[in-house]
Amino acid sequence: MRNLRYDWTISEIEKIYNLPFPKLILRAMTVHRQNHKTDEIQGCQLLSIKTGGCPEDCAYCPQSAHYKTEVEREQLLSVDKTLEAARNAKESGATRFCMGAAWRDVPDGEQFEQVLEMVKGVRELGLEACCTLGMLREDQAEKLAEAGLTAYNHNLDTSPEFYGDIISTRVYDERLKTLENVRKSGVTVCSGGIIGMGETKLDRYKLLQQLSNQNPHPESVPINQLVKVEGTPLQDENDLDVFDFVRMIATARIIMPQSMVRLSAGRLQLTDEAQALCYLAGANSIFMGDKLLTTPNPETNSDAELLDKLGMKLFAEATA
Ligand code: SAM
Ligand code: DTB
Ligand code: SF4
């Protein structure tokens, strides 16, 4: 496709990330304007459909059974309750509904059937449906595709080299394999990462390289700032410099021009001005509602106020 590249090198990515700030923003805005409506962002709403007790040991995650956090384990939510949340999300202006489960991989049988029902129901409401359920086989991805799933979220999170410092219960290649299974099924790919976990800048460039060297690029690239949760190994991590967050978003926008770049977790730590900078840098989506999966997120009212002040608005309709 025109202008799309899948061979970005580390040194090119490094140069872009470290451009003088005005040049970086100008370049990101230019690419953004060529490929997207710059005054509209997509509102997505998350729902944790199965919370806590996860066998994986992701060092950032409050839902891992390896750490003692305030998250209480819950069974898989009913289809009715899930669709009620989806209807509410639609009322508040979301056009994409994302269902997350604290699973290592997707279980076969009744629970999977229940998730398929949720996907069908969300699509019937006219919303884009996204799931993030852990590792997925090809046949499971196909079933989700048949149910109408729009996107599957599976983050690479960081560089292959730093991955083992954050997670010991799975390897990077398993992540890549699931992304391949999703791609083959025709469901679009949502994959991004987290910054602020103690990674180096080189780890960030390497994550961006992994994402941008996929052909096609992930249609959706969430950039999360670590939410430091008490009880997790990363609870006392140093604060992320806000300009690094903006630089990460701008670089993602420049090297993956047509992807949705999502300003994801960590918005509560950002001022209005910092969020506005993220939009200038090419972010075109946020999570709405006062909760992400288990941690707090800005209130819908304060998001609406900020968008209004900036003369921006939410997407009126789902795009898929
Ligand atoms: N268990 C599935 C998995 O790991 O793919 C799906 C749910 S998991 C909670 C989804 C994503 O949330 C993770 O890949 C990670 O990027 C993000 N996440 C989890 N905890 C976070 C935190 N404390 N701060 C920022 N992002 C976080
Ligand atoms: C993504 O990249 N971020 C979202 C969504 N994809 C699933 C999840 C953020 C979770 C933040 C921690 C929590 O609320 O539990
Ligand atoms: Fe489990 Fe996902 Fe949390 Fe890792 S990020 S512990 S796989 S819920």
Side-chain angles (χ1 to χ4, degrees):
M1 227 180 278
R2 195 172 60 96
N3 286 340
L4 295 184
R5 279 187 49 197
Y6 308 95
D7 59 354
W8 292 98
T9 65
I10 291 295
S11 94
E12 285 176 313
I13 294 170
E14 178 179 17
K15 278 203 191 95
I16 296 172
Y17 186 102
N18 293 297
L19 277 172
F21 200 69
K23 283 209 175 82
L24 176 65
I25 298 296
L26 177 62
R27 192 160 160 196
M29 278 179 92
T30 308
V31 171
H32 193 46
R33 203 172 65 165
Q34 285 164 349
N35 293 280
H36 304 268
K37 291 183 181 161
T38 48
D39 54 357
E40 284 187 21
I41 63 168
Q42 183 173 37
C44 309
Q45 177 110 26
L46 280 167
L47 177 70
S48 180
I49 56 169
K50 192 268 161 194
T51 308
C54 183
E56 302 279 69
D57 69 354
C58 313
Y60 48 74
C61 187
Q63 302 200 65
S64 164
H66 296 256
Y67 317 123
K68 207 175 165 322
T69 68
E70 277 182 3
V71 170
E72 305 219 356
R73 290 184 193 198
E74 281 165 37
Q75 300 290 319
L76 183 61
L77 218 61
S78 68
V79 176
D80 280 354
K81 282 209 171 119
T82 303
L83 295 183
E84 191 187 317
R87 271 189 293 272
N88 291 338
K90 186 176 175 180
E91 293 258 296
S92 17
T95 53
R96 183 168 172 115
F97 190 69
C98 312
M99 293 158 274
W103 283 325
R104 170 178 163 77
D105 39 31
V106 177
D108 291 311
E110 215 173 290
Q111 298 196 82
F112 188 46
E113 297 302 319
Q114 207 168 309
V115 173
L116 295 175
E117 286 308 306
M118 293 174 183
V119 171
K120 283 185 201 143
V122 169
R123 294 298 280 147
E124 274 162 19
L125 291 171
L127 293 165
E128 295 172 25
C130 177
C131 279
T132 181
L133 315 168
M135 292 184 254
L136 197 65
R137 294 191 314 264
E138 218 177 310
D139 60 299
Q140 293 172 320
E142 272 160 23
K143 287 206 182 104
L144 285 164
E146 276 163 29
L149 188 71
T150 314
Y152 194 81
N153 165 259
H154 202 63
N155 290 338
L156 291 176
D157 280 334
T158 190
S159 69
E161 290 79 1
F162 190 56
Y163 205 69
D165 287 26
I166 298 296
I167 299 148
S168 77
T169 47
R170 59 168 185 259
V171 294
Y172 214 76
D173 275 350
E174 290 176 296
R175 265 345 236 184
L176 293 170
K177 182 69 195 154
T178 291
L179 292 180
E180 202 183 303
N181 293 340
V182 174
R183 185 51 84 202
K184 274 193 216 146
S185 74
V187 170
T188 66
V189 171
C190 173
S191 188
I194 309 179
I195 64 172
M197 301 193 291
E199 73 286 344
T200 62
K201 287 193 179 162
L202 182 59
D203 290 315
R204 293 180 196 154
Y205 314 148
K206 285 183 172 168
L207 165 65
L208 288 170
Q209 188 188 35
Q210 287 288 333
L211 295 169
S212 63
N213 284 18
Q214 297 198 14
N215 184 358
H217 292 156
E219 286 77 1
S220 162
V221 181
I223 306 290
N224 297 275
Q225 169 173 204
L226 173 70
V227 180
K228 291 179 241 179
V229 182
E230 215 179 298
T232 63
L234 298 184
Q235 62 174 18
D236 297 320
E237 226 9 91
N238 290 333
D239 283 342
L240 177 74
D241 184 313
V242 65
F243 292 107
D244 276 318
F245 199 38
V246 179
R247 282 181 181 279
M248 191 73 186
I249 287 174
T251 311
R253 164 54 62 228
I254 292 165
I255 67 179
M256 292 173 280
Q258 293 184 340
S259 304
M260 295 294 294
V261 175
R262 303 190 192 271
L263 167 55
S264 301
R267 281 200 306 122
L268 263 189
Q269 291 104 285
L270 298 181
T271 62
D272 281 0
E273 294 85 341
Q275 288 192 62
L277 269 183
C278 293
Y279 298 143
L280 296 184
N284 56 351
S285 169
I286 54 170
F287 285 121
M288 301 173 57
D290 57 10
K291 205 162 155 202
L292 291 165
L293 288 172
T294 66
T295 63
N297 191 49
E299 303 273 342
T300 304
N301 280 347
S302 62
D303 283 337
E305 260 173 45
L306 177 59
L307 288 182
D308 199 40
K309 273 193 221 169
L310 299 175
M312 294 173 68
K313 55 181 190 235
L314 292 171
F315 282 14
E317 282 172 18
T319 52

